[in-house]
Amino acid sequence: MEKQNDQSRMDRIVSLAKRRGFIFQSSEIYGGLNGFWDYGPLGVALKRNLKESWWHDMVAGHDELSTLPGAPTPYEMTGLDCTIIMHPQVWKVSGHFDLFHDWMIDCRESKRRYRYDHLHGRWASHRGKKVFVVTDQSGEEAAPHTVQKAQKFFGLRAKQVDEIEWEGTLVPLAASVADGSVTLSGALGPDAGEAGTLTEPREFNLMFETRIGALAGNDDDRAFLRPETAQGIFMNFKNVLDTSRVSVPFGIAQIGKSFRNEITPRNFTFRSREFEQMEIEFFCKPADSAAWYRFWRDRRWNWYLSLGLTAGKLQLREHHADELSHYSVGTADIEYAFPFLAEGEFGELEGIAHRGDFDLRSHMEGKLVRQNGQLVVETGPDGKPRHRGSGKDLSYFDDATRERYVPHVIEPSAGADRAVLAFLCDAYHEDEVPDEDGKPRSRTVLKLHPRLAPLKAAILPLVKKDGMPEVAIDLYRRLKAHMPCMYDEKGSVGRRYARQDEAGTPWCLTIDGQTLNDQTVTLRDRDTLVQTRVPIDACVDMLRERLH
Ligand code: GAP
């Protein structure tokens, strides 16, 4: 059983990714650019296969006439491809623009993010143990929250809270860190059980800025590279409704690049500044939204399993009720135990969020904020909307029930690069196989699902003579018409197998002396190493069938 936190294993995966042309650092000959990655010849094929599997399974291959297991009803799926640069107002209304200038602080334990200037705290001690208790609550709720947190931290019963000794009143965390009276390692985060889980504050320079037009220079020319593909879908909700025959419930899918000026890009491609997302905005009737949320959470979980990701390394993390936005009945993350994480830690692959009518309403009315449990338009000092909406009607008229409503949205949002990384890490194995002389030889193998494998087969003549290359080339040409495969006649057959194992090729077809007599070839399975003889004319159909 391999250890999870194995940096040397991760280093070997990164090194294989580079050596075999899966992933390179961007602009490497100039020293590289932090947070940007290029996909090489094998990597581009792997990533395309992943995106095409997603698109096929979620959109193109979706059977809209049947009711899928767990789905309340049949539903339709359609797609879009939107621009990366959109009207700047999109980001003001979506809330991304306001996050731009803030200093944010993350909690490694609860995975929550806080505005640094919203955090306050005070020192508490009990029987020699001391901690700076931080709260994100404001007004009258702040002090009781710190008492509650300290009670839990010190493991006290309710009647023992008076034993806690408090030093001073609530003070801003930022000021206390700045004057050195508090360190983050001694601070207990608002949703943490342990001290020292708050990260260093970072300015939330989320969006990359650009300028539109040759004479660009004033503020009106400012535009942003999209930090998510989702907003393009909301922008076209009405266009799709008006021009196609879809009716609620239906989903719109999009795959495309997103950009975030991450302060700390790290862990290979896991946190990049340019990355690809695979997002669905699924529009449904408000009353059915909880059932649709559960359906999508389970459907997306099963998708990763269907492509062979190890179940034991996957985790579905439902957000706690107090982590949810009040309009949301649920958010779940699908997480993977990446080898660069500590034992027991998981990294997010995908989030499935119930977003209520937040997005469509915002783009109608203006940027919304929460007030007394309600979503209301945020207003400026002049009483007008701080960021005005489009004013367009984005409600839906249900012909069957004669009702008009703003659909609720379920959003399964996945990262293509993170998924590629998870499949690469999961597929990476080191084992021992017998060489041509029967001696054990260590090998590195990528046990990728055949749908994801860059090459499906390699065709290998045992030797470069006796008519074997001719037979092999003919088979290669027949197979190539149906799937990516390669012809290789260089080096010993053992070395050729090893090259294919490292590339994740599931099958090798070897043409040998016997082929010339009985028209059969050896089919070698990458994972079981079992070799079977197959009639040469049956190879194409057999491998095509195995791919489905
Ligand atoms: N529209 C919702 C949204 O964008 P998110 O959780 O911020 O939600 C969705 O992003 C997914 O995009 C994540 O689960 C992750 O797979 C991927 N992702 C986000 N930031 C990323 C980054 N800096 N590098 C690589 N992938 C990222």
Side-chain angles (χ1 to χ4, degrees), residues 228 260 262 270 272 275 277 279 348-349 411 413 415:
E228 62 170 24
R260 293 184 195 176
E262 299 283 359
F270 182 82
S272 307
F275 55 96
Q277 291 185 307
E279 298 201 290
E348 179 185 325
L349 282 182
E411 178 188 70
S413 171

Side-chain angles (χ1 to χ4, degrees), residues 257-520:
K257 290 267 185 167
S258 291
F259 302 80
R260 293 184 195 176
N261 203 356
E262 299 283 359
I263 306 294
T264 50
R266 65 187 147 181
N267 292 330
F268 202 19
T269 57
F270 182 82
R271 191 177 304 287
S272 307
R273 290 182 164 135
E274 175 174 341
F275 55 96
E276 250 176 308
Q277 291 185 307
M278 310 186 289
E279 298 201 290
I280 296 171
E281 304 302 322
F282 186 80
F283 301 95
C284 60
K285 223 172 152 165
D288 300 337
S289 60
W292 282 115
Y293 164 70
R294 287 191 293 275
F295 165 75
W296 277 107
R297 181 198 59 193
D298 298 346
R299 182 156 165 72
R300 294 300 307 140
W301 168 263
N302 286 324
W303 185 77
Y304 290 98
L305 295 181
S306 76
L307 286 172
L309 217 57
T310 307
K313 290 190 178 175
L314 271 179
Q315 163 171 291
L316 186 75
R317 195 180 72 83
E318 287 273 2
H319 289 206
H320 297 297
D322 59 358
E323 282 180 78
L324 297 175
S325 327
H326 92 276
Y327 53 84
S328 174
V329 301
T331 294
D333 290 340
I334 298 175
E335 302 177 330
Y336 181 76
F338 286 97
F340 49 77
L341 296 172
E343 195 75 37
E345 279 188 14
F346 291 78
E348 179 185 325
L349 282 182
E350 168 160 358
I352 299 99
H354 180 294
R355 300 184 57 88
D357 58 7
F358 176 81
D359 305 276
L360 291 177
R361 264 190 62 203
S362 305
H363 286 302
M364 286 197 278
E365 301 168 21
K367 186 185 171 223
L368 299 174
V369 283
R370 252 174 284 163
Q371 241 171 46
N372 307 323
Q374 293 293 316
L375 280 178
V376 294
V377 176
E378 187 181 359
T379 47
D382 55 1
K384 292 190 180 146
R386 204 162 104 73
H387 296 305
R388 62 177 172 78
S390 67
K392 299 283 184 297
D393 181 8
L394 301 179
S395 67
Y396 173 79
F397 184 71
D398 191 328
D399 275 325
T401 60
R402 316 297 297 162
E403 286 171 273
R404 181 169 286 285
Y405 56 85
V406 179
H408 276 201
V409 168
I410 311 300
E411 178 188 70
S413 171
D417 307 82
R418 283 206 190 159
V420 165
L421 185 59
F423 280 107
L424 260 185
C425 293
D426 210 60
Y428 184 92
H429 287 84
E430 291 161 354
D431 59 12
E432 276 193 348
V433 295
D435 67 10
E436 282 134 286
D437 306 320
K439 293 206 194 94
R441 174 181 63 75
S442 59
R443 76 162 179 168
T444 301
V445 54
L446 287 185
K447 296 187 177 179
L448 288 167
H449 190 285
R451 284 179 79 191
L452 299 181
L455 292 166
K456 311 305 176 192
I459 294 94
L460 320 171
L462 188 63
V463 288
K464 262 194 281 184
K465 56 184 186 184
D466 301 336
M468 289 182 208
E470 288 76 4
V471 177
I473 289 170
D474 180 60
L475 177 58
Y476 159 77
R477 291 202 174 116
R478 279 194 275 158
L479 200 58
K480 188 83 184 207
H482 300 280
M483 64 191 71
C485 58
M486 76 174 286
Y487 171 80
D488 186 8
E489 58 174 30
K490 292 194 198 95
S492 74
V493 78
R495 285 183 66 95
R496 282 181 274 164
Y497 283 151
R499 278 203 289 269
Q500 295 305 326
D501 287 343
E502 275 193 347
T505 311
W507 302 295
C508 287
L509 296 163
T510 309
I511 284 76
D512 55 16
Q514 196 179 326
T515 312
L516 308 175
N517 295 329
D518 67 4
Q519 308 299 306
T520 62

